Amino acid sequence: MRGAVVAAAAAAVGNMLQGWDNATIAGALLYMRKDLPALQAHPALQGLVVATSLIGSTIVTTFSGPLSDSRGRRPMLIASALLYSLAGLLMLWSPNVPILLLARLVDGFAIGLAVTLVPVYISETAPPDTRGLLNTLPQLTGSTGMFLSYCMVFLITLAPIPNWRLMLGVLLLPALLYLLLTIFFLPESPRWLVSKGRMKEARTVLQMLRGRQDVSAEMALLVEGLTTGRDTAIEEYVVGPTDEAKVTLYGGMSSGLAPGSMFGSAVTLASRQGSMLDHLKDPVVALLDSLHDMNPPAGGTTDVPNLGSMIGVHDRPPIDWDEENSGDDDGDIAAPLLTMEGEAATSTVGIGGGWQLAWKWTEGVAADGTRQSTVKRMYLHEEQAEGVHAAALVSQSALCTKQEAEAEVEGGWREVLEPGGVRHALVCGVAIQILQQFSGISGVLLYTPQILEQAGVGVLLSRLGLRDDSASILISGVTTLLMLPSIGVAMRLMDVSGRRSLLLWTIPLLVASLAVLVAASVAPMAAAAHAAVCTGSVVVYLCCFVMGFGPIPNILCAEIFPTRVRGLCIAICSLAFWLADIAVTYTLPVMLASLGLAGLFAIYAAVCCVALVFVALRVPETKGLPLEVIIDFFNVGAKGTLPNLHDDDDHY
């Protein structure tokens, strides 16, 4: 997987530059006000200097997603590196406030492209079992950029007259490094290449990313990802007696789900009386909780044989399909649903996360005498139960007629706005992005030196002979350094405990740290004790944030949308992110002046409580699942309720 790691690391440098910029503007603001009288006279203008980059990010986000869908992920990331370089030059010059605002606007364009597309790029190039780890790299590089920038700013503050233009302009050096990395180390996303019909290029890129020649199974998965499967349904099968030459799936279990079924337990939960929390949970959350709570089958997934693979669109799949046996209404598991013989039985269709891909081919005669055929894809997963059971997500295959394929491609905004899995996922993505920003992180990061200065942090370092401004920047740098091990823990747990679990554990710690900070702000205590408690609370808040609420919203939004509209949906989620970011950043100086630390962080604590409830009820666990499987779960959940399951034992 060396190729995937290198590509992810190179792309994540774009987030390092965002972190670098956040730290430099936080430090430079302390000196800008003295050098530019307009900022001193108009506090709102100071907020505008910071918010202009956010405005630029918002503007570019509105078209970055659709543009990346049409032109590719790689060209947009190269454009981001070029814009970073231009912004660095302008900030190094900046003779007055208008030029400074222009530089911040260009910088925002670069940040918007990077923050929007880096998670998409990493998700589309990483294998399922390490996608969470690799997609946490942007958080790691972003915090590393902040730490290095704080170190640079601190050294500049030791000069008799600190140069804020130099603090901002040094961005040019890492921006040029990022430009070289994007040109020489970033291949195009294989999923995007498949969506444009460039199969040979996609295969070559996949071989490089995976470090192996046989990528047929994943290519088949990417082809299936071109459709969203609005008719997705849950079905259960039994994998029949097998030998080296033949694999048979037996259907006919429509009257009930197999005992121990990973989906069966979720359906049972939805159909029986349960706790209030169970009734409030989103169906997608219930389904995926049931899936991830399963113990792995004894001996792994080796009991489920390989079921054959295919690439591209053909008049008929290149395997020996039996016609679907309709059987009686009550089903007959002795009738083979599909059979694959010969060489196809030895090929692999493992697509990661314990899932396999197969197809269901049916033929019939219409009323007018013409022959009709249907191909549906089957995402199969073995279950731990007596016998060898397989649960399947069955939906429309990409192997359809030309007219159907063209109709799918023309979906776009229609598909996003119509009721279904995409809109269901979009509501989840937009909500979690807004809640993340209103938890206060952007304001805390951008104004950490000023917040710590107001808390009296200079008392802690007075014996070192540092000025208050230098002391606050030094503490900010140390705080950022402490965040790095926390991100390392998150990287380790992201694909083990999962995204949802990390959020449910870390958000309560955010609430607790904010509550302590509020209490310290209103309770009388010595200056040194007050500064120590406030600094400790900020450290705990930031460390917990980067373990969960920091990286996970972007990871989730890059995972839950289908390939064809992923860029468009990501743009909508990013737009919500930046609008919320602008609101928080622009209003924070005013809120800090009028409400003080206690009122400000009390509001943030309340938002974190709302976020905890939302995660518990509406955010599903996506660890280890191929991207194409995740959207099919949302298609099932979008129907509003899970299939009914009767309690009659005769149905098992």
Side-chain angles (χ1 to χ4, degrees):
M1 298 301 173
R2 178 183 176 185
V5 174
V6 170
V13 175
N15 292 74
M16 186 191 79
L17 298 182
Q18 181 204 17
W20 183 286
D21 177 75
N22 285 342
T24 53
I25 193 62
L29 277 174
L30 299 175
Y31 306 100
M32 252 182 238
R33 291 175 296 179
K34 302 174 183 178
D35 190 44
L36 299 173
L39 297 182
Q40 188 72 28
H42 304 284
L45 190 59
Q46 174 186 332
L48 184 61
V49 169
V50 177
T52 298
S53 68
L54 305 181
I55 295 172
S57 299
T58 304
I59 293 173
V60 79
T61 294
T62 58
F63 61 84
S64 62
L67 193 58
S68 72
D69 281 341
S70 62
R71 299 298 179 183
R73 321 305 191 203
R74 181 174 180 268
M76 295 298 100
L77 294 178
I78 293 176
S80 174
L82 289 170
L83 289 170
Y84 270 126
S85 302
L86 177 59
L89 283 173
L90 289 174
M91 286 189 287
L92 187 61
W93 175 39
S94 295
N96 50 46
V97 173
I99 297 298
L100 177 61
L101 291 175
L102 175 62
R104 298 292 298 161
L105 184 67
V106 175
D107 185 53
F109 292 160
I111 291 174
L113 287 175
V115 172
T116 302
L117 298 179
V118 166
V120 175
Y121 179 84
I122 295 177
S123 290
E124 291 186 345
T125 56
D129 55 346
T130 58
R131 189 175 62 240
L133 183 152
L134 294 181
N135 236 332
T136 312
L137 278 176
Q139 185 73 61
L140 178 64
T141 57
S143 297
T144 301
M146 289 181 62
F147 170 69
L148 295 176
S149 181
Y150 273 126
C151 291
M152 178 268 298
V153 171
F154 173 72
L155 293 176
I156 294 177
T157 63
L158 299 179
I161 304 178
N163 188 332
W164 61 266
R165 291 180 179 83
L166 181 61
M167 293 179 188
L168 297 177
V170 172
L171 176 70
L172 176 63
L173 298 179
L176 292 175
L177 172 63
Y178 184 42
L179 179 61
L180 294 176
L181 291 175
T182 54
I183 292 175
F184 294 107
F185 292 95
L186 284 191
E188 184 53 85
S189 162
R191 282 180 166 84
W192 182 85
L193 291 171
V194 167
S195 72
K196 301 303 177 183
R198 295 157 63 175
M199 300 299 181
K200 291 183 179 179
E201 294 178 60
R203 179 182 291 274
T204 300
V205 171
L206 268 180
Q207 290 170 339
M208 183 275 290
L209 293 173
R210 302 295 180 257
R212 62 175 186 269
Q213 293 298 310
D214 184 9
V215 292
S216 298
E218 191 164 359
M219 284 293 293
L221 175 66
L222 302 193
V223 171
E224 288 298 343
L226 299 179
T227 58
T228 58
R230 299 183 186 90
D231 60 342
T232 306
I234 296 173
E235 297 182 7
E236 300 285 330
Y237 300 92
V238 174
V239 180
T242 64
D243 53 41
E244 295 181 356
K246 183 176 181 180
V247 175
T248 304
L249 284 180
Y250 294 90
M253 301 185 67
S254 58
S255 60
L257 299 181
S261 165
M262 67 176 178
F263 300 135
S265 61
V267 176
T268 302
L269 176 66
S271 60
R272 297 175 179 173
Q273 295 298 320
S275 67
M276 181 63 68
L277 180 63
D278 294 334
H279 286 291
L280 292 175
K281 274 187 177 181
D282 189 290
V284 182
V285 176
L287 281 170
L288 290 178
D289 278 354
S290 178
L291 170 64
H292 293 296
D293 286 344
M294 276 184 56
N295 294 321
T301 58
T302 55
D303 291 335
V304 175
N306 295 323
L307 301 175
S309 64
M310 56 192 292
I311 302 298
V313 179
H314 303 273
D315 292 335
R316 185 180 178 90
I319 48 181
D320 183 15
W321 295 90
D322 282 352
E323 292 187 8
E324 181 179 6
N325 186 294
S326 57
D328 298 328
D329 291 338
D330 57 356
D332 177 12
I333 64 172
L337 184 64
L338 56 89
T339 302
M340 288 147 281
E341 299 184 0
E343 295 182 359
T346 62
S347 62
T348 176
V349 291
I351 55 177
W355 292 85
Q356 295 193 41
L357 174 62
W359 293 265
K360 181 165 64 174
W361 176 272
T362 60
E363 292 183 345
V365 179
D368 58 1
T370 60
R371 293 187 61 82
Q372 291 182 336
S373 60
T374 302
V375 181
K376 290 192 175 183
R377 65 168 172 262
M378 303 170 62
Y379 293 127
L380 290 157
H381 196 285
E382 181 188 2
E383 302 178 8
Q384 187 175 22
E386 296 180 4
V388 183
H389 297 276
L393 291 170
V394 181
S395 55
Q396 179 64 52
S397 174
L399 305 172
C400 53
T401 66
K402 181 178 180 181
Q403 291 76 14
E404 290 172 331
E406 290 174 348
E408 287 286 344
V409 171
E410 293 173 358
W413 278 102
R414 176 181 56 80
E415 185 173 352
V416 170
L417 297 176
E418 286 181 352
V422 176
R423 194 175 76 174
H424 191 81
L426 188 60
V427 171
C428 177
V430 168
I432 197 170
Q433 291 285 11
I434 293 175
L435 288 171
Q436 183 211 52
Q437 286 306 299
F438 277 95
S439 69
I441 184 60
S442 293
V444 173
L445 289 176
L446 288 170
Y447 292 94
T448 293
Q450 295 183 46
I451 292 173
L452 296 180
E453 186 177 3
Q454 182 175 334
V457 73
V459 176
L460 298 177
L461 299 176
S462 59
R463 294 183 180 180
L464 297 179
L466 297 175
R467 298 192 304 264
D468 285 350
D469 52 1
S470 297
S472 63
I473 291 175
L474 178 60
I475 289 293
S476 298
V478 173
T479 300
T480 306
L481 178 62
L482 294 176
M483 291 162 56
L484 298 181
S486 301
I487 299 172
V489 173
M491 294 179 70
R492 175 66 179 86
L493 296 178
M494 197 65 70
D495 292 307
V496 178
S497 297
R499 296 81 157 121
R500 174 180 162 85
S501 296
L502 281 175
L503 287 175
L504 293 176
W505 278 100
T506 56
I507 293 179
L509 296 177
L510 296 181
V511 176
S513 63
L514 291 170
V516 170
L517 198 149
V518 171
S521 299
V522 298
M525 62 178 63
H530 178 262
V533 171
C534 288
T535 302
S537 298
V538 171
V539 170
V540 172
Y541 174 88
L542 293 177
C543 290
C544 292
F545 190 90
V546 297
M547 288 182 64
F549 223 173
I552 290 176
N554 282 339
I555 294 175
L556 284 172
C557 289
E559 292 177 330
I560 60 179
F561 303 116
T563 300
R564 293 184 305 99
V565 294
R566 183 171 292 124
L568 175 60
C569 293
I570 285 291
I572 297 173
C573 292
S574 296
L575 182 61
F577 170 92
W578 290 116
L579 290 175
D581 198 355
I582 290 173
V584 171
T585 304
Y586 190 72
T587 59
L588 190 142
V590 178
M591 294 176 65
L592 192 61
S594 59
L595 301 177
L597 285 173
L600 180 65
F601 286 104
I603 293 175
Y604 291 161
V607 173
C608 287
C609 291
V610 174
L612 181 62
V613 175
F614 178 79
V615 170
L617 299 180
R618 292 292 183 263
V619 177
E621 181 56 72
T622 58
K623 68 172 183 179
L625 295 174
L627 297 181
E628 288 71 17
V629 174
I630 294 173
I631 185 57
D632 270 355
F633 275 108
F634 274 95
N635 288 326
V636 173
K639 298 176 181 178
T641 58
L642 297 172
N644 290 325
L645 180 67
H646 301 287
D647 294 337
D648 189 348
D649 292 338
D650 292 339
H651 290 164
Y652 292 106

